[in-house]
Amino acid sequence: MADSMKTQLVSAIHLQEVELEEQPAGSQLDPKDSSNAPEQTFTVEDAVETIGFGRFHILLFFIMGSASIVEAMEIMLLAVVSPEIRCEWRLNDWQVALVSTMVFLGFMVCGVLGGYIADRYGRWKVVFGGFVWSAYFSLLTSFAPSYGWFIFLRSMVGCGVAGVSQGFVLKTEFIPAKYRAYLLPLASIFWMTGSMLIIVLGMLVVPTLGWRWMIRISVTPSVLLIFLFRFIPESARYNVSAGNVRAAVKTLQWIADMNRASLPPGRLVEPTVNERGSWRILLNSSFRRTSLLLWYSWFVASFSYYGSVLSSSELLEKNLLCVTDADPEHQVKHVHEDGLCFCIPFGPGDYRTLLISCLGEVALVPLNIFLLNVLGRRLSLTVLQLLAAVLFMMVNICTTMFGFTLLLFLLRSSVSMNFSVVYIYTAEVYPTAARSLGMGFCTSFSRIGGMIAPFIAQVLMSRSVVLALSPFAVACVVCGLGNFLLPIETKGRALLQNS
Protein backbone atom coordinates (compact mmCIF):
# COMPACT_ATOMS: atom_id res chain seq x y z
CA MET A 1 0.00 0.00 0.00
CA ALA A 2 2.80 2.33 0.96
CA ASP A 3 4.70 1.42 -2.21
CA SER A 4 1.62 2.23 -4.34
CA MET A 5 1.23 5.68 -2.73
CA LYS A 6 4.93 6.45 -3.28
CA THR A 7 4.60 5.50 -6.94
CA GLN A 8 1.56 7.78 -7.43
CA LEU A 9 3.34 10.71 -5.69
CA VAL A 10 6.42 10.37 -7.89
CA SER A 11 4.26 10.21 -11.01
CA ALA A 12 2.38 13.35 -9.98
CA ILE A 13 5.61 15.28 -9.39
CA HIS A 14 7.00 14.11 -12.72
CA LEU A 15 3.79 15.17 -14.52
CA GLN A 16 3.93 18.64 -12.93
CA GLU A 17 7.54 19.14 -14.06
CA VAL A 18 6.63 18.18 -17.63
CA GLU A 19 3.76 20.70 -17.65
CA LEU A 20 6.01 23.46 -16.37
CA GLU A 21 8.55 22.74 -19.09
CA GLU A 22 5.88 22.93 -21.80
CA GLN A 23 4.33 26.16 -20.46
CA PRO A 24 5.47 29.40 -22.24
CA ALA A 25 7.96 31.45 -20.25
CA GLY A 26 5.75 34.54 -20.17
CA SER A 27 2.81 32.62 -18.65
CA GLN A 28 4.85 31.71 -15.56
CA LEU A 29 4.81 35.39 -14.42
CA ASP A 30 2.31 36.37 -11.80
CA PRO A 31 0.48 39.44 -13.13
CA LYS A 32 0.16 40.71 -9.57
CA ASP A 33 3.94 40.54 -9.05
CA SER A 34 5.21 43.95 -10.22
CA SER A 35 8.82 42.98 -9.52
CA ASN A 36 8.78 40.83 -12.64
CA ALA A 37 7.51 43.65 -14.93
CA PRO A 38 10.00 45.24 -17.40
CA GLU A 39 11.83 48.23 -15.82
CA GLN A 40 10.85 51.66 -17.19
CA THR A 41 13.66 53.88 -18.44
CA PHE A 42 14.00 57.34 -19.97
CA THR A 43 16.68 59.46 -21.69
CA VAL A 44 17.80 63.04 -21.06
CA GLU A 45 15.85 64.10 -24.15
CA ASP A 46 12.70 62.51 -22.65
CA ALA A 47 13.32 64.32 -19.36
CA VAL A 48 13.90 67.72 -20.98
CA GLU A 49 10.73 67.41 -23.05
CA THR A 50 8.66 66.13 -20.09
CA ILE A 51 9.83 68.89 -17.73
CA GLY A 52 9.02 71.49 -20.41
CA PHE A 53 9.57 75.23 -20.21
CA GLY A 54 9.41 76.95 -16.84
CA ARG A 55 11.10 79.10 -14.21
CA PHE A 56 14.48 77.43 -14.61
CA HIS A 57 14.60 78.33 -18.29
CA ILE A 58 13.72 81.95 -17.53
CA LEU A 59 16.60 82.07 -15.02
CA LEU A 60 18.91 80.37 -17.54
CA PHE A 61 17.80 82.75 -20.28
CA PHE A 62 18.59 85.88 -18.27
CA ILE A 63 21.88 84.76 -16.70
CA MET A 64 23.33 83.44 -19.95
CA GLY A 65 21.84 86.44 -21.73
CA SER A 66 23.66 88.74 -19.33
CA ALA A 67 26.86 86.90 -20.22
CA SER A 68 26.09 87.73 -23.87
CA ILE A 69 25.77 91.40 -22.89
CA VAL A 70 29.30 91.35 -21.50
CA GLU A 71 30.59 89.41 -24.51
CA ALA A 72 29.06 91.97 -26.89
CA MET A 73 30.55 94.87 -24.93
CA GLU A 74 34.03 93.34 -25.21
CA ILE A 75 33.76 92.82 -28.97
CA MET A 76 31.92 96.03 -29.86
CA LEU A 77 34.32 98.09 -27.74
CA LEU A 78 36.72 97.97 -30.69
CA ALA A 79 34.43 100.06 -32.89
CA VAL A 80 34.15 102.76 -30.22
CA VAL A 81 37.76 102.89 -29.06
CA SER A 82 39.41 102.81 -32.51
CA PRO A 83 39.34 106.62 -33.11
CA GLU A 84 40.79 107.20 -29.61
CA ILE A 85 43.76 104.84 -29.81
CA ARG A 86 44.42 105.97 -33.39
CA CYS A 87 44.90 109.48 -32.06
CA GLU A 88 46.74 108.62 -28.81
CA TRP A 89 49.36 106.36 -30.38
CA ARG A 90 49.31 107.99 -33.85
CA LEU A 91 48.38 104.77 -35.63
CA ASN A 92 48.09 104.01 -39.31
CA ASP A 93 45.03 102.26 -40.72
CA TRP A 94 46.66 98.82 -40.72
CA GLN A 95 47.65 99.20 -37.07
CA VAL A 96 44.07 100.00 -36.08
CA ALA A 97 42.87 96.98 -38.08
CA LEU A 98 45.46 94.77 -36.35
CA VAL A 99 43.77 95.39 -32.99
CA SER A 100 40.58 93.65 -34.14
CA THR A 101 42.62 90.95 -35.85
CA MET A 102 44.51 90.11 -32.66
CA VAL A 103 41.26 89.83 -30.69
CA PHE A 104 39.89 87.36 -33.21
CA LEU A 105 43.22 85.50 -33.31
CA GLY A 106 42.90 84.87 -29.57
CA PHE A 107 39.30 83.80 -30.13
CA MET A 108 40.30 81.43 -32.94
CA VAL A 109 43.08 79.69 -31.03
CA CYS A 110 41.05 79.25 -27.86
CA GLY A 111 37.81 78.38 -29.69
CA VAL A 112 38.92 74.86 -30.63
CA LEU A 113 40.73 74.37 -27.31
CA GLY A 114 37.67 75.51 -25.36
CA GLY A 115 35.40 73.21 -27.37
CA TYR A 116 37.64 70.21 -26.71
CA ILE A 117 37.79 70.94 -22.96
CA ALA A 118 34.02 71.46 -22.82
CA ASP A 119 33.34 68.06 -24.41
CA ARG A 120 35.93 66.30 -22.25
CA TYR A 121 35.51 68.03 -18.88
CA GLY A 122 32.24 69.95 -18.97
CA ARG A 123 30.57 73.03 -20.44
CA TRP A 124 30.14 74.98 -17.21
CA LYS A 125 33.85 75.02 -16.36
CA VAL A 126 34.77 76.47 -19.76
CA VAL A 127 32.05 79.16 -19.69
CA PHE A 128 32.86 80.28 -16.15
CA GLY A 129 36.63 80.18 -16.70
CA GLY A 130 36.33 82.14 -19.95
CA PHE A 131 34.17 84.73 -18.23
CA VAL A 132 36.67 85.37 -15.42
CA TRP A 133 39.59 85.34 -17.88
CA SER A 134 38.07 87.90 -20.25
CA ALA A 135 37.05 90.24 -17.41
CA TYR A 136 40.55 90.15 -15.89
CA PHE A 137 42.41 90.89 -19.11
CA SER A 138 39.88 93.50 -20.19
CA LEU A 139 40.58 95.39 -16.98
CA LEU A 140 44.32 95.12 -17.63
CA THR A 141 43.75 96.60 -21.10
CA SER A 142 42.76 99.91 -19.54
CA PHE A 143 46.28 100.20 -18.08
CA ALA A 144 48.10 99.33 -21.34
CA PRO A 145 51.16 101.62 -21.57
CA SER A 146 51.72 101.13 -25.28
CA TYR A 147 50.14 99.91 -28.50
CA GLY A 148 51.99 96.57 -28.28
CA TRP A 149 50.65 95.86 -24.80
CA PHE A 150 47.16 96.89 -25.90
CA ILE A 151 46.92 94.39 -28.77
CA PHE A 152 48.44 91.60 -26.63
CA LEU A 153 45.94 92.13 -23.82
CA ARG A 154 43.02 92.38 -26.23
CA SER A 155 44.05 89.05 -27.79
CA MET A 156 43.86 87.54 -24.29
CA VAL A 157 40.36 89.01 -23.96
CA GLY A 158 39.43 87.31 -27.23
CA CYS A 159 40.65 84.00 -25.81
CA GLY A 160 38.34 84.39 -22.80
CA VAL A 161 35.37 85.37 -24.94
CA ALA A 162 35.86 82.11 -26.88
CA GLY A 163 35.13 80.23 -23.65
CA VAL A 164 32.08 82.37 -22.87
CA SER A 165 30.64 81.52 -26.32
CA GLN A 166 30.28 77.88 -25.20
CA GLY A 167 27.40 79.14 -23.07
CA PHE A 168 25.24 78.88 -26.19
CA VAL A 169 25.77 75.10 -26.20
CA LEU A 170 25.05 74.87 -22.47
CA LYS A 171 21.85 76.85 -22.93
CA THR A 172 20.69 74.88 -25.98
CA GLU A 173 21.08 71.52 -24.23
CA PHE A 174 18.53 72.51 -21.57
CA ILE A 175 15.82 73.93 -23.88
CA PRO A 176 12.97 71.68 -25.20
CA ALA A 177 12.95 71.26 -28.98
CA LYS A 178 9.78 73.22 -29.71
CA TYR A 179 11.03 76.28 -27.80
CA ARG A 180 14.50 76.51 -29.37
CA ALA A 181 13.32 78.38 -32.49
CA TYR A 182 11.73 81.02 -30.23
CA LEU A 183 14.14 81.44 -27.32
CA LEU A 184 17.49 81.25 -29.10
CA PRO A 185 16.77 84.08 -31.58
CA LEU A 186 15.48 86.22 -28.70
CA ALA A 187 18.93 85.92 -27.13
CA SER A 188 20.11 88.48 -29.70
CA ILE A 189 18.32 91.08 -27.55
CA PHE A 190 21.08 90.70 -24.99
CA TRP A 191 23.82 91.05 -27.60
CA MET A 192 22.14 94.22 -28.88
CA THR A 193 21.89 95.53 -25.30
CA GLY A 194 25.62 95.01 -24.80
CA SER A 195 26.39 96.76 -28.08
CA MET A 196 24.25 99.73 -27.15
CA LEU A 197 25.66 99.93 -23.62
CA ILE A 198 29.24 100.26 -24.86
CA ILE A 199 28.17 102.93 -27.37
CA VAL A 200 26.34 104.88 -24.63
CA LEU A 201 29.40 104.53 -22.38
CA GLY A 202 31.53 105.87 -25.22
CA MET A 203 29.20 108.81 -25.67
CA LEU A 204 29.14 109.70 -21.96
CA VAL A 205 32.57 108.69 -20.67
CA VAL A 206 35.11 109.05 -23.51
CA PRO A 207 34.72 112.84 -24.04
CA THR A 208 35.24 113.52 -20.30
CA LEU A 209 37.23 110.70 -18.68
CA GLY A 210 38.77 109.02 -21.75
CA TRP A 211 38.67 105.51 -23.22
CA ARG A 212 40.56 103.89 -20.33
CA TRP A 213 37.82 104.70 -17.83
CA MET A 214 35.22 103.52 -20.32
CA ILE A 215 36.86 100.06 -20.32
CA ARG A 216 37.10 99.99 -16.50
CA ILE A 217 33.42 100.83 -16.12
CA SER A 218 32.47 98.24 -18.78
CA VAL A 219 34.10 95.47 -16.69
CA THR A 220 31.77 96.12 -13.72
CA PRO A 221 28.88 93.92 -14.99
CA SER A 222 31.32 91.01 -15.37
CA VAL A 223 32.24 91.12 -11.68
CA LEU A 224 28.58 91.08 -10.66
CA LEU A 225 27.70 88.19 -12.99
CA ILE A 226 30.43 85.92 -11.64
CA PHE A 227 28.33 85.38 -8.51
CA LEU A 228 25.24 84.37 -10.53
CA PHE A 229 26.91 81.44 -12.30
CA ARG A 230 26.32 79.21 -9.27
CA PHE A 231 22.66 79.07 -10.29
CA ILE A 232 23.56 77.45 -13.63
CA PRO A 233 24.20 73.67 -13.41
CA GLU A 234 26.43 71.54 -15.58
CA SER A 235 24.74 70.14 -18.69
CA ALA A 236 22.85 66.91 -17.96
CA ARG A 237 23.60 65.76 -21.51
CA TYR A 238 27.31 66.15 -20.88
CA ASN A 239 27.08 64.32 -17.54
CA VAL A 240 25.41 61.23 -19.01
CA SER A 241 27.85 61.17 -21.94
CA ALA A 242 30.67 61.15 -19.36
CA GLY A 243 29.00 58.35 -17.39
CA ASN A 244 28.00 60.57 -14.45
CA VAL A 245 24.34 59.54 -14.44
CA ARG A 246 23.80 60.40 -10.78
CA ALA A 247 24.79 64.05 -11.35
CA ALA A 248 22.55 64.23 -14.43
CA VAL A 249 19.55 62.91 -12.47
CA LYS A 250 20.25 65.37 -9.65
CA THR A 251 20.35 68.28 -12.14
CA LEU A 252 17.19 67.17 -13.94
CA GLN A 253 15.33 66.69 -10.64
CA TRP A 254 16.36 70.18 -9.51
CA ILE A 255 15.09 71.66 -12.79
CA ALA A 256 11.84 69.68 -12.51
CA ASP A 257 11.30 70.95 -8.95
CA MET A 258 11.94 74.54 -10.00
CA ASN A 259 9.53 74.18 -12.92
CA ARG A 260 6.98 72.43 -10.68
CA ALA A 261 7.06 69.40 -12.94
CA SER A 262 8.21 65.81 -12.57
CA LEU A 263 10.64 63.51 -14.30
CA PRO A 264 9.39 60.65 -16.49
CA PRO A 265 8.78 57.40 -14.56
CA GLY A 266 11.62 54.94 -14.40
CA ARG A 267 15.40 55.15 -14.45
CA LEU A 268 17.67 57.42 -16.52
CA VAL A 269 19.58 55.25 -18.99
CA GLU A 270 22.03 56.61 -21.54
CA PRO A 271 25.09 54.89 -22.98
CA THR A 272 28.45 56.30 -21.91
CA VAL A 273 30.24 57.92 -24.84
CA ASN A 274 33.92 57.09 -24.80
CA GLU A 275 34.91 59.13 -27.87
CA ARG A 276 34.04 62.56 -26.52
CA GLY A 277 35.61 65.67 -28.01
CA SER A 278 37.04 63.83 -31.03
CA TRP A 279 37.53 65.72 -34.29
CA ARG A 280 36.93 62.43 -36.14
CA ILE A 281 33.21 62.73 -35.37
CA LEU A 282 33.09 66.06 -37.21
CA LEU A 283 34.62 64.54 -40.34
CA ASN A 284 33.02 61.10 -40.41
CA SER A 285 30.69 60.16 -43.25
CA SER A 286 27.63 61.47 -41.38
CA PHE A 287 28.93 65.00 -40.76
CA ARG A 288 31.75 65.65 -43.25
CA ARG A 289 29.77 67.74 -45.73
CA THR A 290 27.89 69.51 -42.94
CA SER A 291 31.13 70.45 -41.16
CA LEU A 292 32.85 71.78 -44.28
CA LEU A 293 29.86 73.91 -45.30
CA LEU A 294 29.32 75.14 -41.75
CA TRP A 295 32.94 76.22 -41.43
CA TYR A 296 32.52 78.43 -44.48
CA SER A 297 29.11 79.66 -43.27
CA TRP A 298 30.63 80.71 -39.96
CA PHE A 299 33.52 82.40 -41.76
CA VAL A 300 31.07 84.46 -43.82
CA ALA A 301 28.77 85.14 -40.85
CA SER A 302 31.61 86.74 -38.90
CA PHE A 303 33.18 88.35 -41.97
CA SER A 304 29.92 90.07 -42.90
CA TYR A 305 28.83 90.93 -39.34
CA TYR A 306 32.07 92.63 -38.29
CA GLY A 307 32.42 94.03 -41.78
CA SER A 308 29.11 95.84 -41.31
CA VAL A 309 30.07 97.06 -37.81
CA LEU A 310 33.56 98.29 -38.70
CA SER A 311 32.48 99.70 -42.08
CA SER A 312 29.83 101.87 -40.48
CA SER A 313 32.34 103.07 -37.88
CA GLU A 314 34.93 103.85 -40.57
CA LEU A 315 32.44 105.59 -42.87
CA LEU A 316 31.28 107.82 -40.03
CA GLU A 317 34.72 108.55 -38.61
CA LYS A 318 36.26 109.59 -41.94
CA ASN A 319 33.06 110.98 -43.47
CA LEU A 320 33.32 108.76 -46.54
CA LEU A 321 29.55 108.62 -46.98
CA CYS A 322 27.85 109.76 -50.17
CA VAL A 323 25.24 111.86 -48.35
CA THR A 324 23.14 114.42 -50.19
CA ASP A 325 22.16 116.44 -47.10
CA ALA A 326 25.38 116.28 -45.07
CA ASP A 327 25.91 118.93 -42.39
CA PRO A 328 29.18 120.95 -42.43
CA GLU A 329 30.82 118.52 -40.00
CA HIS A 330 30.24 115.55 -42.33
CA GLN A 331 31.27 117.39 -45.50
CA VAL A 332 34.95 117.24 -44.52
CA LYS A 333 36.71 114.22 -45.99
CA HIS A 334 39.52 113.27 -43.63
CA VAL A 335 42.73 111.99 -45.19
CA HIS A 336 46.18 111.23 -43.85
CA GLU A 337 48.62 114.12 -44.00
CA ASP A 338 52.35 113.45 -43.61
CA GLY A 339 51.63 110.03 -42.14
CA LEU A 340 50.02 111.50 -39.00
CA CYS A 341 47.10 109.85 -37.28
CA PHE A 342 43.47 110.87 -37.47
CA CYS A 343 42.43 112.72 -34.33
CA ILE A 344 38.78 112.86 -35.28
CA PRO A 345 36.63 111.61 -32.40
CA PHE A 346 33.04 110.49 -32.88
CA GLY A 347 30.49 113.27 -32.58
CA PRO A 348 27.06 112.90 -30.94
CA GLY A 349 25.45 112.31 -34.34
CA ASP A 350 27.87 109.45 -35.07
CA TYR A 351 27.03 107.76 -31.77
CA ARG A 352 23.32 108.12 -32.51
CA THR A 353 23.76 106.48 -35.93
CA LEU A 354 25.61 103.56 -34.33
CA LEU A 355 22.88 103.21 -31.70
CA ILE A 356 20.12 103.10 -34.29
CA SER A 357 22.01 100.54 -36.36
CA CYS A 358 22.36 98.38 -33.22
CA LEU A 359 18.57 98.37 -32.85
CA GLY A 360 18.47 96.59 -36.19
CA GLU A 361 19.88 93.49 -34.49
CA VAL A 362 16.60 92.88 -32.64
CA ALA A 363 13.98 94.84 -34.56
CA LEU A 364 13.43 91.97 -36.98
CA VAL A 365 13.65 89.11 -34.43
CA PRO A 366 9.95 88.26 -35.09
CA LEU A 367 10.86 87.84 -38.77
CA ASN A 368 13.76 85.60 -37.75
CA ILE A 369 11.46 83.41 -35.63
CA PHE A 370 8.99 83.21 -38.52
CA LEU A 371 11.71 82.13 -40.97
CA LEU A 372 13.03 79.46 -38.59
CA ASN A 373 9.60 77.94 -37.99
CA VAL A 374 8.32 78.18 -41.57
CA LEU A 375 11.37 77.83 -43.83
CA GLY A 376 13.59 75.85 -41.48
CA ARG A 377 17.26 76.46 -40.71
CA ARG A 378 18.88 75.81 -44.08
CA LEU A 379 16.59 77.95 -46.23
CA SER A 380 16.66 80.75 -43.63
CA LEU A 381 20.45 80.88 -43.92
CA THR A 382 20.18 81.20 -47.71
CA VAL A 383 17.56 83.98 -47.62
CA LEU A 384 19.43 86.04 -45.01
CA GLN A 385 22.81 85.74 -46.75
CA LEU A 386 21.42 86.86 -50.12
CA LEU A 387 19.60 89.77 -48.44
CA ALA A 388 22.83 90.86 -46.75
CA ALA A 389 24.65 90.81 -50.10
CA VAL A 390 22.09 93.18 -51.63
CA LEU A 391 22.23 95.56 -48.64
CA PHE A 392 26.04 95.70 -48.66
CA MET A 393 25.99 96.99 -52.22
CA MET A 394 23.16 99.44 -51.49
CA VAL A 395 25.38 101.23 -48.93
CA ASN A 396 27.24 102.65 -51.97
CA ILE A 397 24.13 104.50 -53.13
CA CYS A 398 24.09 108.26 -52.60
CA THR A 399 21.25 109.04 -50.22
CA THR A 400 20.26 111.21 -47.28
CA MET A 401 21.62 110.69 -43.77
CA PHE A 402 18.28 109.13 -42.86
CA GLY A 403 18.56 106.77 -45.81
CA PHE A 404 22.09 105.74 -44.80
CA THR A 405 20.94 105.11 -41.23
CA LEU A 406 18.06 102.98 -42.52
CA LEU A 407 20.42 100.95 -44.73
CA LEU A 408 22.74 100.33 -41.78
CA PHE A 409 19.72 99.32 -39.71
CA LEU A 410 18.60 96.73 -42.27
CA LEU A 411 22.14 95.50 -42.91
CA ARG A 412 22.80 94.91 -39.21
CA SER A 413 19.43 93.14 -38.99
CA SER A 414 20.24 90.69 -41.77
CA VAL A 415 23.79 89.84 -40.69
CA SER A 416 22.73 89.53 -37.05
CA MET A 417 19.83 87.21 -37.91
CA ASN A 418 22.17 85.10 -40.02
CA PHE A 419 24.60 84.79 -37.11
CA SER A 420 21.72 83.74 -34.85
CA VAL A 421 20.52 81.05 -37.26
CA VAL A 422 23.98 79.58 -37.84
CA TYR A 423 24.50 79.41 -34.06
CA ILE A 424 21.21 77.53 -33.63
CA TYR A 425 21.85 75.15 -36.53
CA THR A 426 25.35 74.25 -35.31
CA ALA A 427 24.18 73.54 -31.75
CA GLU A 428 21.36 71.33 -33.07
CA VAL A 429 23.14 69.38 -35.80
CA TYR A 430 26.07 67.88 -33.85
CA PRO A 431 25.74 65.11 -31.21
CA THR A 432 26.46 65.75 -27.52
CA ALA A 433 29.75 63.85 -27.83
CA ALA A 434 31.15 66.53 -30.14
CA ARG A 435 28.73 69.47 -29.86
CA SER A 436 31.11 71.82 -28.03
CA LEU A 437 34.05 70.82 -30.21
CA GLY A 438 31.92 71.36 -33.32
CA MET A 439 30.94 74.78 -32.03
CA GLY A 440 34.58 75.49 -31.17
CA PHE A 441 35.79 74.64 -34.69
CA CYS A 442 33.01 76.74 -36.22
CA THR A 443 33.70 79.78 -34.03
CA SER A 444 37.41 79.48 -34.84
CA PHE A 445 36.68 79.60 -38.55
CA SER A 446 34.37 82.53 -37.95
CA ARG A 447 37.21 84.44 -36.32
CA ILE A 448 39.29 84.03 -39.47
CA GLY A 449 36.55 86.08 -41.11
CA GLY A 450 36.73 88.51 -38.21
CA MET A 451 40.50 88.81 -38.65
CA ILE A 452 40.22 89.64 -42.35
CA ALA A 453 37.24 92.01 -42.06
CA PRO A 454 39.16 94.92 -40.41
CA PHE A 455 41.75 95.08 -43.19
CA ILE A 456 38.97 95.46 -45.76
CA ALA A 457 36.58 97.63 -43.74
CA GLN A 458 39.24 99.88 -42.17
CA VAL A 459 42.18 99.85 -44.60
CA LEU A 460 40.66 99.37 -48.05
CA MET A 461 37.72 101.65 -47.23
CA SER A 462 39.94 104.74 -47.35
CA ARG A 463 40.79 104.01 -50.98
CA SER A 464 37.42 102.92 -52.35
CA VAL A 465 34.07 102.37 -50.65
CA VAL A 466 32.81 100.18 -53.51
CA LEU A 467 35.98 98.09 -53.54
CA ALA A 468 35.77 97.60 -49.77
CA LEU A 469 32.10 96.56 -49.66
CA SER A 470 32.18 94.24 -52.69
CA PRO A 471 34.07 91.34 -50.99
CA PHE A 472 31.41 91.20 -48.27
CA ALA A 473 28.62 91.02 -50.84
CA VAL A 474 30.35 88.34 -52.94
CA ALA A 475 31.10 86.18 -49.89
CA CYS A 476 27.43 86.37 -48.82
CA VAL A 477 26.19 85.31 -52.28
CA VAL A 478 28.53 82.29 -52.45
CA CYS A 479 27.62 81.25 -48.91
CA GLY A 480 23.89 81.68 -49.53
CA LEU A 481 24.05 79.37 -52.55
CA GLY A 482 26.25 76.88 -50.68
CA ASN A 483 23.72 76.53 -47.87
CA PHE A 484 21.44 74.68 -50.30
CA LEU A 485 23.91 71.78 -50.07
CA LEU A 486 23.60 71.31 -46.30
CA PRO A 487 22.35 67.69 -45.98
CA ILE A 488 20.60 67.92 -42.58
CA GLU A 489 17.58 69.99 -41.54
CA THR A 490 17.28 70.31 -37.75
CA LYS A 491 13.89 72.02 -37.51
CA GLY A 492 11.89 70.22 -34.78
CA ARG A 493 14.52 67.48 -34.40
CA ALA A 494 15.69 66.14 -31.04
CA LEU A 495 19.32 66.75 -30.09
CA LEU A 496 21.53 63.75 -30.85
CA GLN A 497 23.39 62.14 -27.95
CA ASN A 498 26.01 60.35 -30.07
CA SER A 499 26.86 59.95 -33.73
Side-chain angles (χ1 to χ4, degrees), residues 325-476:
D325 61 346
D327 53 35
E329 177 186 351
H330 285 90
Q331 288 176 355
V332 180
K333 306 294 183 182
H334 300 294
V335 294
H336 274 288
E337 294 180 3
D338 300 325
L340 299 180
C341 66
F342 295 113
C343 283
I344 310 297
F346 282 149
D350 298 328
Y351 282 115
R352 283 196 299 271
T353 300
L354 290 176
L355 279 173
I356 294 172
S357 67
C358 283
L359 286 174
E361 298 198 11
V362 296
L364 298 184
V365 165
L367 175 61
N368 199 8
I369 294 173
F370 172 79
L371 291 174
L372 286 169
N373 284 284
V374 176
L375 300 182
R377 280 49 163 168
R378 292 182 302 174
L379 196 54
S380 295
L381 286 171
T382 297
V383 170
L384 292 171
Q385 288 284 11
L386 295 178
L387 177 62
V390 173
L391 291 170
F392 264 116
M393 296 313 298
M394 289 182 67
V395 173
N396 295 292
I397 299 174
C398 286
T399 182
T400 62
M401 197 64 192
F402 172 79
F404 174 73
T405 304
L406 180 62
L407 282 174
L408 281 187
F409 179 89
L410 294 174
L411 179 59
R412 286 286 288 275
S413 294
S414 62
V415 295
S416 177
M417 286 192 293
N418 177 69
F419 227 141
S420 176
V421 176
V422 78
Y423 253 112
I424 294 170
Y425 182 81
T426 304
E428 291 179 336
V429 76
Y430 287 121
T432 300
R435 185 170 295 120
S436 286
L437 184 65
M439 183 69 77
F441 264 99
C442 286
T443 54
S444 291
F445 274 94
S446 79
R447 301 316 157 187
I448 297 175
M451 291 165 63
I452 297 173
F455 286 96
I456 296 176
Q458 293 180 305
V459 178
L460 193 58
M461 188 72 72
S462 297
R463 301 184 180 182
S464 171
V465 176
V466 175
L467 197 61
L469 294 177
S470 296
F472 299 112
V474 172
C476 288

Side-chain angles (χ1 to χ4, degrees), residues 17-34:
E17 290 175 348
V18 172
E19 290 175 349
L20 286 172
E21 289 176 357
E22 295 176 349
Q23 189 176 16
S27 64
Q28 297 179 35
L29 298 176
D30 184 354
K32 296 181 181 180
D33 186 3
S34 60

Side-chain angles (χ1 to χ4, degrees), residues 128-200:
F128 181 76
F131 200 77
V132 175
W133 178 285
S134 61
Y136 173 71
F137 280 100
S138 183
L139 180 61
L140 289 183
T141 301
S142 68
F143 298 98
S146 64
Y147 169 72
W149 272 106
F150 184 85
I151 61 174
F152 169 73
L153 292 171
R154 290 313 295 179
S155 67
M156 292 295 100
V157 172
C159 187
V161 172
V164 177
S165 68
Q166 289 294 335
F168 194 88
V169 172
L170 180 62
K171 179 170 55 179
T172 301
E173 292 184 336
F174 280 120
I175 299 177
K178 67 179 180 180
Y179 293 101
R180 289 200 296 264
Y182 296 94
L183 290 178
L184 297 179
L186 285 173
S188 60
I189 294 174
F190 295 100
W191 182 276
M192 179 272 298
T193 303
S195 300
M196 296 184 70
L197 277 176
I198 199 67
I199 293 172
V200 171

Side-chain angles (χ1 to χ4, degrees), residues 56-310:
F56 166 76
H57 296 92
I58 296 174
L59 178 69
L60 175 73
F61 187 71
F62 279 99
I63 293 179
M64 298 309 299
S66 299
S68 295
I69 291 176
V70 175
E71 182 183 357
M73 291 176 71
E74 294 294 353
I75 298 297
M76 296 301 297
L77 178 145
L78 301 174
V80 177
V81 82
S82 290
E84 304 302 320
I85 63 172
R86 185 198 300 270
C87 183
E88 179 168 333
W89 288 315
R90 310 182 76 80
L91 304 179
N92 294 310
D93 286 341
W94 69 269
Q95 291 174 303
V96 176
L98 187 61
V99 175
S100 301
T101 297
M102 292 301 294
V103 173
F104 294 130
L105 177 63
F107 202 128
M108 181 186 72
V109 172
C110 294
V112 174
L113 179 62
Y116 172 78
I117 296 174
D119 278 330
R120 295 291 298 178
Y121 304 106
R123 280 71 156 125
W124 189 93
K125 299 180 183 69
V126 173
V127 176
F128 181 76
F131 200 77
V132 175
W133 178 285
S134 61
Y136 173 71
F137 280 100
S138 183
L139 180 61
L140 289 183
T141 301
S142 68
F143 298 98
S146 64
Y147 169 72
W149 272 106
F150 184 85
I151 61 174
F152 169 73
L153 292 171
R154 290 313 295 179
S155 67
M156 292 295 100
V157 172
C159 187
V161 172
V164 177
S165 68
Q166 289 294 335
F168 194 88
V169 172
L170 180 62
K171 179 170 55 179
T172 301
E173 292 184 336
F174 280 120
I175 299 177
K178 67 179 180 180
Y179 293 101
R180 289 200 296 264
Y182 296 94
L183 290 178
L184 297 179
L186 285 173
S188 60
I189 294 174
F190 295 100
W191 182 276
M192 179 272 298
T193 303
S195 300
M196 296 184 70
L197 277 176
I198 199 67
I199 293 172
V200 171
L201 272 178
M203 186 188 304
L204 300 178
V205 177
V206 171
T208 55
L209 299 176
W211 63 269
R212 296 178 185 273
W213 273 105
M214 181 192 72
I215 294 179
R216 291 164 194 161
I217 295 172
S218 70
V219 175
T220 305
S222 301
V223 178
L224 299 176
L225 275 172
I226 288 173
F227 299 99
L228 296 179
F229 267 87
R230 66 188 184 92
F231 295 107
I232 302 299
E234 179 57 88
S235 167
R237 295 179 190 270
Y238 162 75
N239 278 329
V240 294
S241 72
N244 195 355
V245 177
R246 180 177 297 180
V249 172
K250 183 178 178 181
T251 296
L252 292 170
Q253 187 61 61
W254 179 70
I255 296 172
D257 293 341
M258 182 175 286
N259 284 7
R260 297 175 182 173
S262 58
L263 293 177
R267 183 169 59 93
L268 176 61
V269 176
E270 291 269 13
T272 301
V273 181
N274 295 321
E275 195 181 21
R276 300 192 318 276
S278 174
W279 60 269
R280 294 182 181 85
I281 298 176
L282 306 181
L283 294 177
N284 65 21
S285 58
S286 300
F287 295 106
R288 186 180 301 116
R289 189 202 297 181
T290 298
S291 294
L292 294 175
L293 289 172
L294 271 181
W295 292 344
Y296 181 66
S297 292
W298 274 83
F299 168 86
V300 174
S302 179
F303 183 62
S304 58
Y305 179 83
Y306 293 108
S308 69
V309 172
L310 297 174

